[in-house]
Coordinates of all heavy atoms in Angstrom, one line a residue:
M33 N -0.2 -0.5 3.6 CA -1.4 0.1 3.9 C -2.2 0.4 2.7 O -1.7 0.9 1.7 CB -1.1 1.5 4.7 CG -2.2 2.1 5.2 SD -1.7 3.5 6.3 CE -1.7 4.8 5.2
L34 N -3.5 0.2 2.8 CA -4.4 0.4 1.6 C -4.4 2.1 1.3 O -4.4 2.9 2.3 CB -5.9 0.1 1.9 CG -6.1 -1.3 2.0 CD1 -7.5 -1.6 2.5 CD2 -5.9 -2.1 0.7
A35 N -4.5 2.4 0.1 CA -4.4 3.8 -0.3 C -5.8 4.4 0.1 O -5.9 5.6 0.2 CB -4.1 3.9 -1.7
L36 N -7.0 3.6 -0.2 CA -8.2 4.1 0.1 C -8.5 5.4 -1.0 O -8.7 6.5 -0.5 CB -8.4 4.6 1.5 CG -8.3 3.6 2.5 CD1 -8.5 4.2 4.0 CD2 -9.3 2.4 2.5
R37 N -8.4 5.0 -2.1 CA -8.7 5.9 -3.2 C -10.0 6.5 -3.2 O -11.1 5.8 -2.7 CB -8.4 5.3 -4.6 CG -6.9 5.0 -4.8 CD -6.6 4.3 -6.3 NE -5.3 3.9 -6.3 CZ -4.9 3.1 -7.2 NH1 -5.7 2.7 -8.1 NH2 -3.6 2.6 -7.3
P38 N -10.2 7.8 -3.6 CA -11.4 8.4 -3.3 C -12.6 8.2 -4.1 O -13.8 8.8 -4.0 CB -11.1 10.0 -3.3 CG -10.0 9.9 -4.1 CD -9.2 8.6 -4.1
S39 N -12.5 7.5 -5.3 CA -13.4 7.4 -6.3 C -13.3 6.2 -7.2 O -12.3 5.4 -7.1 CB -13.3 8.7 -7.3 OG -12.1 8.6 -7.8
C40 N -14.4 5.9 -7.9 CA -14.5 4.7 -8.7 C -13.7 5.1 -10.1 O -13.9 6.2 -10.7 CB -15.9 4.3 -9.1 SG -16.1 3.2 -10.4
E41 N -12.8 4.2 -10.6 CA -12.1 4.5 -11.8 C -13.0 4.6 -13.1 O -12.7 5.3 -14.1 CB -11.1 3.5 -12.1 CG -9.9 3.6 -11.2 CD -8.7 2.8 -11.8 OE1 -8.7 2.4 -13.0 OE2 -8.0 2.3 -11.0
C42 N -14.2 3.9 -13.0 CA -15.0 3.8 -14.2 C -16.0 5.0 -14.3 O -16.2 5.6 -15.3 CB -15.9 2.5 -14.1 SG -14.8 1.1 -14.5
C43 N -16.7 5.3 -13.2 CA -17.8 6.3 -13.2 C -17.4 7.6 -12.3 O -18.3 8.3 -12.4 CB -19.1 5.7 -12.7 SG -19.2 5.2 -11.1
D44 N -16.3 7.6 -11.7 CA -15.8 8.7 -11.0 C -16.7 9.0 -9.8 O -16.6 10.1 -9.2 CB -15.8 10.0 -11.8 CG -14.7 11.0 -11.3 OD1 -13.7 10.5 -10.6 OD2 -15.0 12.1 -11.4
R45 N -17.6 8.0 -9.3 CA -18.4 8.1 -8.2 C -17.5 8.3 -6.9 O -16.5 7.5 -6.8 CB -19.3 7.0 -8.2 CG -20.1 6.9 -7.0 CD -21.0 5.7 -7.1 NE -21.3 5.1 -5.8 CZ -22.0 4.1 -5.6 NH1 -22.5 3.3 -6.5 NH2 -22.2 3.6 -4.3
D46 N -17.9 9.1 -6.0 CA -17.2 9.2 -4.7 C -17.3 7.9 -3.9 O -18.3 7.3 -3.8 CB -17.7 10.4 -3.9 CG -17.4 11.6 -4.4 OD1 -16.5 11.8 -5.2 OD2 -18.0 12.7 -4.1
L47 N -16.1 7.4 -3.5 CA -16.1 6.3 -2.6 C -15.3 6.6 -1.3 O -14.1 6.3 -1.3 CB -15.4 5.1 -3.2 CG -16.2 4.5 -4.5 CD1 -15.3 3.5 -5.3 CD2 -17.4 3.9 -4.1
P48 N -16.0 7.2 -0.3 CA -15.4 7.7 0.9 C -14.9 6.5 1.7 O -15.3 5.2 1.4 CB -16.5 8.5 1.7 CG -17.7 8.0 1.1 CD -17.5 7.5 -0.4
P49 N -13.9 6.7 2.5 CA -13.3 5.7 3.2 C -14.3 4.6 4.0 O -13.9 3.4 4.2 CB -12.3 6.3 4.2 CG -12.1 7.7 3.8 CD -13.2 7.9 3.0
D50 N -15.4 5.2 4.3 CA -16.3 4.4 5.1 C -17.3 3.7 4.1 O -18.3 3.1 4.6 CB -17.0 5.1 6.1 CG -17.8 6.3 5.7 OD1 -17.8 6.5 4.4 OD2 -18.6 6.9 6.4
S51 N -17.2 3.8 2.8 CA -18.1 3.3 1.9 C -18.0 1.8 1.8 O -16.9 1.2 1.7 CB -17.9 3.8 0.5 OG -18.8 3.2 -0.5
R52 N -19.2 1.1 1.8 CA -19.2 -0.4 1.7 C -19.4 -0.7 0.2 O -19.6 -1.9 -0.1 CB -20.2 -1.0 2.6 CG -19.8 -0.9 4.2 CD -20.8 -1.5 5.0 NE -20.3 -1.4 6.4 CZ -19.3 -2.3 6.9 NH1 -19.0 -3.4 6.4 NH2 -18.9 -2.0 8.0
D53 N -19.4 0.3 -0.6 CA -19.6 0.1 -2.0 C -18.4 0.1 -2.8 O -18.3 0.1 -4.0 CB -20.6 1.1 -2.6 CG -22.0 1.0 -2.2 OD1 -22.4 -0.2 -1.9 OD2 -22.7 2.0 -2.1
A54 N -17.3 0.2 -2.1 CA -15.9 0.2 -2.9 C -15.3 -1.2 -2.9 O -15.3 -2.0 -2.0 CB -15.0 1.0 -2.0
M55 N -14.8 -1.5 -4.2 CA -14.2 -2.8 -4.4 C -12.7 -2.5 -5.0 O -12.6 -1.6 -5.7 CB -15.0 -3.5 -5.5 CG -16.5 -3.6 -5.3 SD -16.9 -5.1 -4.1 CE -16.5 -6.5 -5.2
I56 N -11.8 -3.3 -4.6 CA -10.4 -3.1 -5.1 C -9.9 -4.4 -5.5 O -10.3 -5.6 -5.2 CB -9.5 -2.6 -4.0 CG1 -9.5 -3.5 -2.7 CG2 -9.9 -1.2 -3.5 CD1 -8.4 -3.1 -1.7
C57 N -8.9 -4.4 -6.4 CA -8.1 -5.5 -6.8 C -6.8 -5.5 -5.9 O -6.6 -4.6 -5.1 CB -7.8 -5.5 -8.3 SG -6.4 -4.3 -8.7
S58 N -5.9 -6.5 -6.3 CA -4.6 -6.5 -5.4 C -3.8 -5.3 -5.7 O -2.8 -5.1 -4.9 CB -3.9 -7.9 -5.8 OG -3.3 -7.8 -7.1
F59 N -3.8 -4.7 -6.8 CA -3.2 -3.4 -7.1 C -3.9 -2.1 -6.5 O -3.4 -1.1 -6.9 CB -2.9 -3.2 -8.6 CG -2.0 -4.3 -9.1 CD1 -2.6 -5.4 -9.8 CD2 -0.6 -4.4 -8.9 CE1 -1.8 -6.5 -10.3 CE2 0.2 -5.5 -9.5 CZ -0.4 -6.5 -9.9
E60 N -5.0 -2.4 -5.9 CA -5.8 -1.3 -5.5 C -6.4 -0.4 -6.5 O -6.9 0.6 -6.3 CB -5.1 -0.4 -4.5 CG -4.7 -1.1 -3.1 CD -4.0 -0.2 -2.2 OE1 -4.9 0.8 -1.8 OE2 -2.9 -0.4 -1.7
C61 N -6.6 -1.0 -7.7 CA -7.5 -0.3 -8.6 C -8.9 -0.4 -7.9 O -9.3 -1.4 -7.4 CB -7.5 -1.1 -10.0 SG -6.1 -1.6 -10.7
T62 N -9.6 0.8 -8.0 CA -10.7 0.9 -7.2 C -12.1 1.3 -8.0 O -12.1 2.1 -9.0 CB -10.5 2.1 -6.2 OG1 -9.4 1.9 -5.4 CG2 -11.7 2.3 -5.2
F63 N -13.1 0.4 -7.6 CA -14.4 0.6 -8.4 C -15.5 0.5 -7.5 O -15.3 0.0 -6.3 CB -14.5 -0.6 -9.4 CG -13.3 -0.6 -10.4 CD1 -12.2 -1.5 -10.0 CD2 -13.2 0.2 -11.4 CE1 -11.1 -1.5 -10.9 CE2 -12.1 0.2 -12.2 CZ -11.0 -0.7 -12.0
C64 N -16.7 1.0 -7.8 CA -17.9 0.9 -7.1 C -18.6 -0.4 -7.5 O -18.3 -1.1 -8.4 CB -18.8 2.0 -7.3 SG -19.6 2.0 -8.9
T65 N -19.4 -0.9 -6.5 CA -20.1 -2.2 -6.8 C -20.9 -2.2 -7.9 O -21.0 -3.3 -8.6 CB -20.9 -2.6 -5.5 OG1 -21.8 -1.5 -5.2 CG2 -20.0 -3.0 -4.3
D66 N -21.6 -1.1 -8.4 CA -22.3 -1.1 -9.4 C -21.5 -1.4 -10.7 O -22.0 -2.1 -11.6 CB -23.0 0.4 -9.6 CG -24.2 0.5 -8.6 OD1 -24.5 -0.4 -8.0 OD2 -24.6 1.7 -8.6
C67 N -20.3 -0.8 -10.9 CA -19.5 -1.0 -12.0 C -19.0 -2.4 -12.0 O -19.1 -3.1 -13.0 CB -18.4 -0.1 -12.2 SG -18.9 1.6 -12.5
V68 N -18.6 -3.0 -10.8 CA -18.0 -4.2 -10.6 C -19.1 -5.4 -11.1 O -18.8 -6.2 -11.9 CB -17.4 -4.5 -9.3 CG1 -17.2 -6.0 -9.0 CG2 -16.2 -3.7 -9.0
E69 N -20.2 -5.2 -10.5 CA -21.3 -6.2 -10.9 C -21.9 -6.1 -12.2 O -22.6 -7.0 -12.8 CB -22.5 -6.1 -9.8 CG -22.0 -6.6 -8.4 CD -22.9 -6.2 -7.3 OE1 -23.9 -5.6 -7.6 OE2 -22.5 -6.4 -6.1
G70 N -21.8 -4.9 -12.7 CA -22.3 -4.6 -14.0 C -21.3 -4.8 -15.1 O -21.0 -5.9 -15.5
I71 N -20.8 -3.7 -15.6 CA -19.9 -3.8 -16.8 C -18.7 -4.6 -16.6 O -18.1 -5.1 -17.5 CB -19.6 -2.2 -17.2 CG1 -18.8 -2.3 -18.6 CG2 -18.8 -1.5 -16.1 CD1 -18.6 -0.9 -19.2
L72 N -18.0 -4.6 -15.4 CA -16.8 -5.2 -15.2 C -17.0 -6.7 -15.0 O -15.9 -7.5 -15.0 CB -16.0 -4.6 -14.0 CG -15.7 -3.0 -14.1 CD1 -14.9 -2.5 -12.9 CD2 -14.9 -2.8 -15.5
K73 N -18.1 -7.2 -14.6 CA -18.4 -8.6 -14.4 C -17.4 -9.2 -13.4 O -16.9 -10.3 -13.5 CB -18.3 -9.4 -15.7 CG -19.3 -8.9 -16.7 CD -19.4 -9.8 -17.9 CE -20.2 -9.2 -19.1 NZ -21.4 -8.5 -18.6
G74 N -17.1 -8.4 -12.3 CA -16.4 -9.0 -11.1 C -14.8 -9.0 -11.3 O -14.1 -9.5 -10.4
R75 N -14.3 -8.4 -12.4 CA -12.9 -8.6 -12.6 C -12.2 -7.2 -13.0 O -13.0 -6.4 -13.5 CB -12.5 -9.6 -13.7 CG -12.6 -11.0 -13.3 CD -12.3 -11.9 -14.4 NE -11.1 -11.9 -14.9 CZ -10.7 -12.2 -16.3 NH1 -11.5 -12.5 -17.1 NH2 -9.3 -12.0 -16.5
C76 N -11.0 -6.9 -12.4 CA -10.4 -5.6 -12.7 C -10.1 -5.5 -14.2 O -9.4 -6.4 -14.7 CB -9.2 -5.5 -11.9 SG -8.3 -4.2 -12.1
P77 N -10.6 -4.5 -14.8 CA -10.2 -4.2 -16.2 C -8.8 -3.9 -16.5 O -8.4 -3.9 -17.7 CB -11.2 -3.0 -16.6 CG -11.3 -2.2 -15.3 CD -11.3 -3.3 -14.2
N78 N -8.0 -3.5 -15.5 CA -6.7 -3.2 -15.6 C -5.7 -4.4 -15.7 O -4.9 -4.4 -16.5 CB -6.3 -2.1 -14.6 CG -7.1 -0.9 -14.8 OD1 -7.5 -0.5 -15.7 ND2 -7.3 -0.2 -13.6
C79 N -6.0 -5.2 -14.6 CA -5.0 -6.3 -14.4 C -5.7 -7.7 -14.6 O -5.1 -8.8 -14.5 CB -4.4 -6.2 -13.1 SG -5.5 -6.4 -11.7
G80 N -7.1 -7.7 -14.7 CA -7.7 -9.0 -14.9 C -7.9 -9.7 -13.6 O -8.3 -10.8 -13.6
G81 N -7.6 -9.1 -12.4 CA -7.6 -9.7 -11.2 C -8.8 -9.7 -10.5 O -9.8 -9.1 -11.0
E82 N -9.0 -10.4 -9.5 CA -10.1 -10.4 -8.6 C -10.4 -9.1 -7.9 O -9.5 -8.4 -7.5 CB -10.0 -11.6 -7.5 CG -11.1 -12.0 -6.8 CD -10.8 -13.2 -5.8 OE1 -9.5 -13.4 -5.6 OE2 -11.6 -13.8 -5.2
L83 N -11.7 -8.8 -7.8 CA -12.1 -7.6 -7.0 C -12.8 -8.0 -5.7 O -13.7 -8.8 -5.9 CB -12.9 -6.7 -7.9 CG -12.2 -6.0 -9.1 CD1 -13.1 -5.5 -10.1 CD2 -11.4 -4.8 -8.6
V84 N -12.4 -7.5 -4.6 CA -13.2 -7.7 -3.4 C -13.4 -6.4 -2.7 O -13.0 -5.4 -3.1 CB -12.3 -8.5 -2.5 CG1 -11.9 -10.0 -3.2 CG2 -11.0 -7.8 -2.2
R85 N -14.4 -6.5 -1.7 CA -14.9 -5.3 -1.1 C -13.6 -4.7 -0.3 O -12.9 -5.5 0.4 CB -16.1 -5.6 -0.2 CG -16.6 -4.2 0.4 CD -17.8 -4.5 1.3 NE -17.5 -5.1 2.6 CZ -16.9 -4.4 3.6 NH1 -16.7 -3.2 3.5 NH2 -16.6 -5.0 4.8
R86 N -13.5 -3.4 -0.4 CA -12.4 -2.7 0.3 C -12.8 -2.6 1.8 O -13.9 -2.4 2.2 CB -12.4 -1.4 -0.2 CG -11.2 -0.6 0.3 CD -10.9 0.8 -0.4 NE -12.0 1.7 0.0 CZ -12.2 2.8 -0.4 NH1 -11.4 3.3 -1.4 NH2 -13.2 3.7 -0.1
L87 N -11.7 -2.9 2.6 CA -12.0 -2.9 4.0 C -12.1 -1.5 4.6 O -11.5 -0.6 4.1 CB -10.7 -3.6 4.7 CG -10.5 -5.0 4.4 CD1 -9.2 -5.5 4.8 CD2 -11.6 -5.9 4.9
I88 N -13.0 -1.4 5.5 CA -13.3 -0.1 6.1 C -12.1 0.1 7.2 O -11.9 -0.7 8.0 CB -14.7 -0.1 6.8 CG1 -15.7 -0.5 5.9 CG2 -14.8 1.2 7.6 CD1 -16.0 0.5 4.9
R89 N -11.5 1.3 7.0 CA -10.6 1.8 8.1 C -11.3 2.6 9.2 O -12.1 3.4 8.9 CB -9.5 2.7 7.5 CG -8.5 3.1 8.4 CD -7.4 3.8 7.8 NE -6.7 2.9 6.8 CZ -5.9 3.3 5.7 NH1 -5.6 4.5 5.6 NH2 -5.4 2.4 4.9
P90 N -11.2 2.2 10.4 CA -11.9 2.8 11.5 C -11.7 4.3 11.5 O -10.6 4.8 11.3 CB -11.4 2.2 12.8 CG -10.7 0.9 12.3 CD -10.3 1.2 10.9
A91 N -12.7 5.1 11.7 CA -12.7 6.6 11.5 C -11.8 7.1 12.4 O -11.0 8.2 12.0 CB -14.1 7.0 11.9
E92 N -11.4 6.7 13.5 CA -10.5 7.2 14.4 C -9.0 7.0 14.0 O -8.2 7.7 14.5 CB -10.6 6.7 15.9 CG -10.2 5.3 16.1 CD -11.5 4.3 15.9 OE1 -12.5 4.8 15.2 OE2 -11.3 3.2 16.3
K93 N -8.8 6.1 13.0 CA -7.6 5.9 12.4 C -7.3 6.8 11.1 O -6.1 6.9 10.7 CB -7.3 4.5 12.0 CG -7.5 3.4 13.1 CD -6.5 3.5 14.1 CE -6.6 2.4 15.2 NZ -6.0 2.7 16.5
L94 N -8.3 7.4 10.7 CA -8.2 8.2 9.5 C -7.4 9.4 9.7 O -6.7 10.0 8.7 CB -9.4 8.5 8.8 CG -10.2 7.3 8.3 CD1 -11.6 7.7 7.9 CD2 -9.5 6.7 7.1
A95 N -7.3 10.1 10.8 CA -6.6 11.3 11.0 C -5.1 10.9 10.9 O -4.3 11.7 10.3 CB -6.9 11.9 12.4
K96 N -4.7 9.9 11.5 CA -3.3 9.5 11.5 C -2.9 8.9 10.3 O -1.8 8.9 9.7 CB -2.9 8.6 12.7 CG -1.4 8.3 12.9 CD -1.2 7.6 14.2 CE 0.3 7.4 14.3 NZ 0.6 6.5 15.6
Y97 N -3.8 8.0 9.6 CA -3.6 7.3 8.4 C -4.5 7.7 7.5 O -5.5 7.0 7.1 CB -3.7 5.8 8.7 CG -2.8 5.3 9.8 CD1 -3.2 5.0 10.9 CD2 -1.4 5.1 9.5 CE1 -2.3 4.6 12.0 CE2 -0.6 4.7 10.4 CZ -0.9 4.4 11.7 OH -0.2 4.0 12.7
P98 N -4.4 9.0 6.8 CA -5.4 9.4 6.0 C -5.6 8.7 4.6 O -4.6 8.1 4.1 CB -5.0 11.0 5.7 CG -3.5 10.9 5.9 CD -3.2 9.8 6.9
P99 N -6.7 8.8 4.0 CA -7.0 8.1 2.7 C -6.3 8.9 1.6 O -6.0 10.1 1.7 CB -8.6 8.2 2.6 CG -9.0 9.3 3.3 CD -8.0 9.4 4.5
S100 N -6.1 8.3 0.5 CA -5.6 9.0 -0.6 C -6.6 10.1 -1.2 O -7.7 9.9 -1.0 CB -5.4 7.9 -1.8 OG -5.1 8.6 -3.0
S101 N -6.0 11.1 -1.6 CA -6.9 12.2 -2.3 C -6.7 12.2 -3.8 O -7.3 13.0 -4.5 CB -6.6 13.5 -1.7 OG -5.2 13.9 -1.9
Q102 N -6.0 11.3 -4.3 CA -5.7 11.3 -5.7 C -6.8 10.5 -6.5 O -6.9 9.2 -6.3 CB -4.3 10.5 -6.0 CG -3.8 10.8 -7.4 CD -2.6 10.2 -7.7 OE1 -1.8 9.8 -6.7 NE2 -2.1 10.2 -8.9
R103 N -7.5 11.1 -7.3 CA -8.6 10.4 -8.0 C -8.1 9.8 -9.2 O -7.2 10.5 -9.9 CB -9.7 11.5 -8.4 CG -10.5 12.1 -7.3 CD -11.5 13.0 -7.8 NE -12.7 12.4 -8.1 CZ -13.7 12.2 -7.3 NH1 -13.5 12.6 -5.9 NH2 -14.8 11.7 -7.5
V104 N -8.4 8.5 -9.5 CA -8.0 7.9 -10.8 C -9.3 7.6 -11.6 O -10.3 7.1 -11.0 CB -7.4 6.5 -10.4 CG1 -7.0 5.9 -11.8 CG2 -6.2 6.7 -9.7
F105 N -9.3 8.2 -12.7 CA -10.6 8.1 -13.5 C -10.3 7.9 -15.0 O -9.2 8.5 -15.4 CB -11.3 9.5 -13.4 CG -12.6 9.5 -14.2 CD1 -13.5 8.3 -14.1 CD2 -12.8 10.6 -15.0 CE1 -14.7 8.4 -14.9 CE2 -14.1 10.7 -15.7 CZ -15.0 9.7 -15.7
K106 N -11.0 7.0 -15.7 CA -10.7 6.8 -17.0 C -11.9 7.5 -17.8 O -13.0 6.9 -17.9 CB -10.7 5.4 -17.4 CG -9.5 4.6 -16.8 CD -9.5 3.2 -17.2 CE -8.5 2.3 -16.4 NZ -7.2 3.1 -16.2
P107 N -11.7 8.7 -18.3 CA -12.9 9.3 -19.0 C -13.3 8.5 -20.1 O -14.6 8.8 -20.5 CB -12.2 10.7 -19.4 CG -10.9 10.8 -18.9 CD -10.5 9.4 -18.5
E108 N -12.6 7.7 -20.8 CA -13.1 6.9 -21.9 C -14.0 5.8 -21.4 O -14.5 5.1 -22.3 CB -11.9 6.4 -22.8 CG -11.1 5.3 -22.1 CD -10.0 5.9 -21.2 OE1 -10.0 7.0 -20.8 OE2 -9.0 5.1 -21.0
G109 N -14.1 5.5 -20.1 CA -15.0 4.5 -19.6 C -14.2 3.2 -19.5 O -13.1 3.0 -20.0
C110 N -15.0 2.2 -18.9 CA -14.3 0.9 -18.7 C -14.9 -0.1 -19.5 O -16.2 -0.1 -19.8 CB -14.4 0.6 -17.2 SG -13.3 1.5 -16.2
T111 N -14.2 -1.2 -19.8 CA -14.8 -2.4 -20.4 C -14.4 -3.6 -19.6 O -13.3 -3.5 -18.9 CB -14.4 -2.5 -21.9 OG1 -13.0 -2.5 -22.0 CG2 -15.0 -1.4 -22.6
A112 N -15.2 -4.6 -19.7 CA -14.8 -5.8 -19.0 C -13.4 -6.4 -19.5 O -13.1 -6.2 -20.6 CB -15.8 -6.7 -19.1
A113 N -12.7 -7.0 -18.5 CA -11.4 -7.6 -18.8 C -11.7 -8.8 -19.9 O -12.7 -9.4 -19.7 CB -10.8 -8.2 -17.6
P114 N -10.8 -8.9 -20.8 CA -11.0 -10.1 -21.8 C -11.0 -11.4 -21.0 O -10.3 -11.6 -20.0 CB -9.7 -10.1 -22.5 CG -9.1 -8.7 -22.3 CD -9.5 -8.2 -21.0
A115 N -11.8 -12.3 -21.4 CA -12.0 -13.6 -20.7 C -10.7 -14.3 -20.9 O -10.0 -14.3 -21.8 CB -13.0 -14.5 -21.5
A116 N -10.4 -14.9 -19.7 CA -8.9 -15.6 -19.6 C -9.1 -16.9 -20.5 O -10.0 -17.6 -20.6 CB -8.8 -16.0 -18.2
Ligands
ZN259 ZN1 -18.3 3.0 -10.6
ZN260 ZN1 -6.3 -4.3 -11.0

């Protein structure tokens, strides 16, 4: 099950479970589309993997399967993954 983290790791912007601006990698590192399309250039800065839009969990499922409340944030900021 997806963790549905509540925020962007780069800019700490809120990314609620119904946000279509949330992008994740296969490890569920979570970023907003602005960071992904801008500084990150489409790749996860932690693992170098692909970032895709996070799927929306239907609102009626969130009570039983709640999103993560643990914010992951890198205060030092993010940089693009090194070119492969
Ligand atoms: Zn961001
Ligand atoms: Zn990653």
Side-chain angles (χ1 to χ4, degrees):
M33 186 171 93
L34 289 174
L36 299 176
R37 293 179 189 168
S39 59
C40 172
E41 282 190 31
C42 285
C43 66
D44 205 32
R45 175 177 146 183
D46 285 341
L47 293 170
D50 64 350
S51 173
R52 292 182 179 272
D53 292 329
M55 308 276 289
I56 59 172
C57 77
S58 68
F59 297 100
E60 295 191 57
C61 310
T62 303
F63 307 96
C64 70
T65 50
D66 287 347
C67 288
V68 170
E69 290 168 7
I71 188 167
L72 299 180
K73 304 192 187 317
R75 289 174 61 204
C76 175
N78 300 325
C79 67
E82 194 178 7
L83 288 162
V84 298
R85 190 177 71 80
R86 189 175 68 189
L87 299 168
I88 304 293
R89 183 169 302 162
E92 68 271 18
K93 301 293 186 206
L94 290 172
K96 190 170 179 187
Y97 304 99
S100 167
S101 60
Q102 189 179 351
R103 296 179 87 88
V104 178
F105 178 49
K106 296 184 190 321
E108 71 272 23
C110 287
T111 52

